[in-house]
Amino acid sequence: MASSERTFVQAIRRYCAAHDIEVDVRAGGWLIAMRRDDQRRFAFGYDIGLNSAIAHRLANDKSAAAEALSLQGVPCISHHLFLNPKLGEKVVGLGWREAMLELLHDHPQGVVVKPNEGTSGRSVFKVTTAAELDHATNEVFSMSTGLVISPYVAIEDEVRVILLDDVPRIVYSKQRGSDWRHNLDAGAKPVLLADGAVRTACVKLAVDAARAIGIRFASIDVVRVDGAWKVLEINSGVMMEALSKLHPELVQATYGAALDRVFGDASPSTNPSPSPPRNG
């Protein structure tokens, strides 16, 4: 097993070795073929292959996910979609920049501009002026067919809930560093949450969000703004690279439990989920 492989790939290799499943890793680890007898399954990127196509697409589209949550009355951060003008006037329409400026005017504290699809906080901009808006828009549109604009809010806490069939496998807070974002790639530190009111509230909201779009295995980010919890994003690809450095057994057990579902195993994974520490 190459030490440079992503945790996701290593976890699948370990699971397959323990369950007599053939595994073929291709494309630098981004495509994984698994076979046991007449069962053939695939993992792609960070998608383990458990979610339906529509749930996967909704989760990966920030604007669509926010709309779907709103339809079900699930509190969430709004994400206004704008398509890349390179797609043409018939697709994008007129007045898209004026609509952006109107959103900025309506939120004098600023807005956040980011790609409609994507993870890890890349190409995310906090914008307070028209000049900053134009810069952010150009940057995002240079690599994306769509962007979303959300009101900038002072996030008091951010928690990630990793769910498998409505059961919380891992719940942790993101302790922000010097950056204004809570992304782990931006230096935030994952800290497992102990049982209590905060954990209970975050899990309930995450379960409501998962049910709203029909997703089975996902990491759901919830944030506290002005004392109220809201869904920020739903991620169909469950990435646990940073968490694995601190809690490798918990990460392996979570991927193992999901793979049990993928292969239809009636018995639980050979790597049951260990109890999280009761501090932090």
Side-chain angles (χ1 to χ4, degrees):
M1 183 186 303
S3 60
S4 61
E5 283 185 331
R6 293 175 296 136
T7 295
F8 181 79
V9 179
Q10 293 178 22
I12 291 177
R13 284 191 186 275
R14 292 191 187 100
Y15 179 90
C16 290
H19 291 77
D20 297 321
I21 298 171
E22 296 178 29
V23 60
D24 191 356
V25 178
R26 300 293 183 95
W30 292 101
L31 174 63
I32 304 173
M34 299 167 281
R35 183 170 61 188
R36 183 174 64 186
D37 301 328
D38 61 347
Q39 289 182 302
R40 189 169 184 84
R41 303 289 185 265
F42 292 93
F44 183 75
Y46 283 96
D47 184 355
I48 214 162
L50 191 58
N51 297 318
S52 70
I54 189 62
H56 172 75
R57 293 195 66 182
L58 283 172
N60 286 350
D61 187 301
K62 296 179 178 64
S63 175
E67 294 285 0
L69 294 179
S70 296
L71 285 172
Q72 295 298 314
V74 179
C76 63
I77 301 295
S78 61
H79 288 76
H80 300 274
L81 175 66
F82 293 90
L83 295 176
N84 195 319
K86 292 181 180 179
L87 295 174
E89 183 177 305
K90 291 184 178 179
V91 175
V92 178
L94 299 174
W96 57 270
R97 185 174 182 274
E98 288 74 14
M100 288 183 176
L101 290 171
E102 184 175 346
L103 279 173
L104 180 61
H105 178 268
D106 291 342
H107 299 91
Q109 77 279 12
V111 296
V112 175
V113 178
K114 55 188 175 182
N116 187 40
E117 300 183 24
T119 59
S120 303
R122 297 181 181 90
S123 299
V124 177
F125 300 88
K126 179 184 176 184
V127 167
T128 57
T129 67
E132 291 175 348
L133 178 64
D134 288 337
H135 171 74
T137 299
N138 290 335
E139 287 291 318
V140 177
F141 277 155
S142 70
M143 46 77 69
S144 177
T145 58
L147 63 76
V148 287
I149 297 181
S150 300
Y152 173 77
V153 292
I155 295 176
E156 298 154 7
D157 294 291
E158 180 169 341
V159 170
R160 172 163 289 182
V161 180
I162 298 177
L163 289 178
L164 176 60
D165 289 331
D166 292 348
V167 176
R169 297 290 306 191
I170 303 175
V171 184
Y172 64 86
S173 65
K174 299 181 183 181
Q175 302 297 317
R176 184 175 57 192
S178 57
D179 196 283
W180 59 273
R181 298 169 296 170
H182 284 75
N183 300 91
L184 299 178
D185 282 0
K189 179 183 178 181
V191 178
L192 295 179
L193 278 186
D195 289 339
V198 169
R199 191 180 191 277
T200 298
C202 292
V203 168
K204 182 185 183 305
L205 182 55
V207 170
D208 288 345
R211 290 177 176 174
I213 68 168
I215 200 163
R216 297 183 61 189
F217 187 44
S219 61
I220 301 175
D221 293 334
V222 300
V223 294
R224 184 161 57 188
V225 178
D226 294 331
W229 289 100
K230 297 183 178 182
V231 175
L232 178 62
E233 291 183 6
I234 303 175
N235 303 290
S236 177
V238 179
M239 182 190 303
M240 295 186 279
E241 304 296 315
L243 186 66
S244 68
K245 297 175 183 178
L246 299 174
H247 304 284
E249 297 86 0
L250 190 57
V251 169
Q252 181 68 42
T254 300
Y255 281 134
L259 285 164
D260 282 344
R261 307 298 203 282
V262 169
F263 282 94
D265 286 356
S267 59
S269 172
T270 55
N271 296 305
S273 177
S275 298
R278 294 306 174 192
N279 55 7

